[in-house]
Every structure is written in structure tokens, then in C-alpha cells.
């Protein structure tokens, strides 16, 4: 894996800090196209350790940490700025531009699925395919939608995480409603859902498929919300068949 010392550090700066340093970006592999892996809520790029290496022979593999997670520069975290997913999407666009990515493949787990959708809308040249792993455009139930949680459930979750995951876990992604944004997705899209996922059920996956034109849903024979860890070979096979 290429380390930060071998990556280009010129270009986009925020407060004198390269975006590649700020987001702890690592690049490995080879190929004309890139595949970008984005981790989910309360995680970091290590979430992809069983999946990403399988693509290094075919693609330039890009891994990074969202600000507030993993090896990112925690000093870059601003609770006001990062109270919405749009700020994280902006970081993703900056990373893509710094690495000169065009027509890349985006693989986003959990809340990063929506971050990827926002990034693709902001810069349509960045990603030609989206792979949304256990996505959810809204986690809270309402009269016509089953997200899996009540508002009280989410309040309790945020309270339990607040002391353990500063920054990333404090942002308001779990209570946002991004269902209307699905209709604007133009990239080819694969949705991967686990057969038994307490956080994002197959009903959520079906909803996402039904609201993204020409998207494909694959249900993995896996339990839990992190097939990257529980069923990496199934996930790898599904992504390779799609791309």
C-alpha cells in the first residue's frame, strides 16, 4: 500500500492541511480505473481490510477515513460544519479531485452510501458506478416507511456513542431524511443488503432499489450490518460481477 509520503500532497488545502493528510488517504493497486471505499458510522478504513485487497490487481484502490474517525486529522473536525452529510460528501469530492479521479467506482458502507450519492450529484464526472452496502436513506420509521428505528431509539444510540466516538459519531446522519435524493442518482448502482440486518433491513434495500432508476439489489446470505467483515467473499463476488 502506498503511504502518504508517496502520494501527491499538492492541491486542495484546508487550513494549510492537504486533504490527503486530513482524511488519511491511502492508495494501492494498479489499473486505469479507481475504486474508492468509504467506511460507515463509528468505523474507519480498516473496515475494508478483507475486501479492498481483492481489487488491487485490477484497480487503483483508494481508502480514507472520514474526518473524526480513524487516522484522520481530528483537529480538522468542526461540529458545526460536520452536522450534515454534505460536508463529508464535500471532503470526498476534494479527495477525488486531488487524485484526479474520473469515472471511478464508489463503494460506500452504511451512512457512506448516502455520502457517495451526494458526492456523485456534486461532481457527476467522479463516479460512474455506485455500490451501496447496507444503505439507508432514513433510519427512523414513519407512517409509510420502515427505517427500523423509532426517534427514541436513535436518541438512545447517539447518547451511548457520544463518549466513545468523538466527532464522527456525534454528527446527525442517523436522524436525517435523504429519501428524496435517491431519485437524482444517475450512476449505475448496485445495492448490497444482508439477509438479516437489524439496522438496515431488506425492506430498506428494496426501497432504495425501487427509488433509484435501473439499480440492482443483491441480498447477501449474511447476518448483521457489516458484510465487509461477516461475508467478505460474498461481497467481493457481488462487486466484481457488477463492475
Amino acid at each position: 500500500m502506498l503511504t502518504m509520503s508517496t502520494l501527491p500532497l499538492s492541491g486542495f488545502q484546508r487550513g494549510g492541511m492537504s486533504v490527503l493528510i486530513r482524511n488519511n488517504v491511502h492508495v494501492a493497486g494498479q489499473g486505469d480505473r479507481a475504486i474508492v471505499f468509504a467506511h460507515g458510522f463509528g468505523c474507519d478504513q480498516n473496515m475494508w481490510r478483507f475486501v479492498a485487497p481483492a481489487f488491487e490487481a485490477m484497480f487503483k484502490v483508494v481508502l480514507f477515513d472520514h474526518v473524526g474517525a480513524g487516522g484522520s486529522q481530528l483537529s480538522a473536525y468542526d461540529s458545526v460544519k460536520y452536522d450534515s452529510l454534505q460536508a463529508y460528501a464535500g471532503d470526498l469530492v476534494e479527495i477525488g479531485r486531488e487524485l484526479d479521479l474520473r469515472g471511478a467506482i464508489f463503494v460506500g458502507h452504511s451512512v457512506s452510501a448516502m455520502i457517495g450519492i451526494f458526492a456523485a450529484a456534486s461532481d457527476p464526472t467522479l463516479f460512474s458506478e455506485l455500490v451501496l452496502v447496507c444503505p439507508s436513506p432514513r433510519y427512523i420509521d414513519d407512517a409509510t416507511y420502515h427505517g427500523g428505528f423509532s426517534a427514541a431509539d436513535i436518541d438512545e444510540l447517539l447518547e451511548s456513542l457520544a463518549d466513545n466516538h468523538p466527532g464522527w459519531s456525534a454528527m446527525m446522519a442517523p436522524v436525517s431524511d435523504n429519501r428524496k435524493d435517491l431519485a437524482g442518482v444517475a450512476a449505475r448502482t448496485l445495492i448490497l443488503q444482508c439477509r438479516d440486518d437489524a439496522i438496515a433491513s431488506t425492506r430498506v434495500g428494496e426501497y432504495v432499489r425501487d427509488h433509484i432508476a435501473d439499480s440492482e439489489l443483491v441480498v447477501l446470505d449474511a447476518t448483521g450490518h457489516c458484510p465487509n467483515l461477516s461475508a467478505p467473499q460474498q461481497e467481493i463476488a457481488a462487486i466484481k460481477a457488477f463492475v
Side-chain angles (χ1 to χ4, degrees), residues 15 43 109 141 201 208 240:
C43 308
H109 174 235
D141 300 336
S201 70
V208 175
K240 286 186 174 181

Side-chain angles (χ1 to χ4, degrees), residues 125-146:
T125 70
L126 189 57
F127 303 120
S128 58
E129 285 94 16
L130 302 177
V131 179
L132 312 180
V133 182
C134 303
S136 182
R138 177 176 167 86
Y139 291 89
I140 297 178
D141 300 336
D142 66 20
T144 60
Y145 173 81
H146 180 76

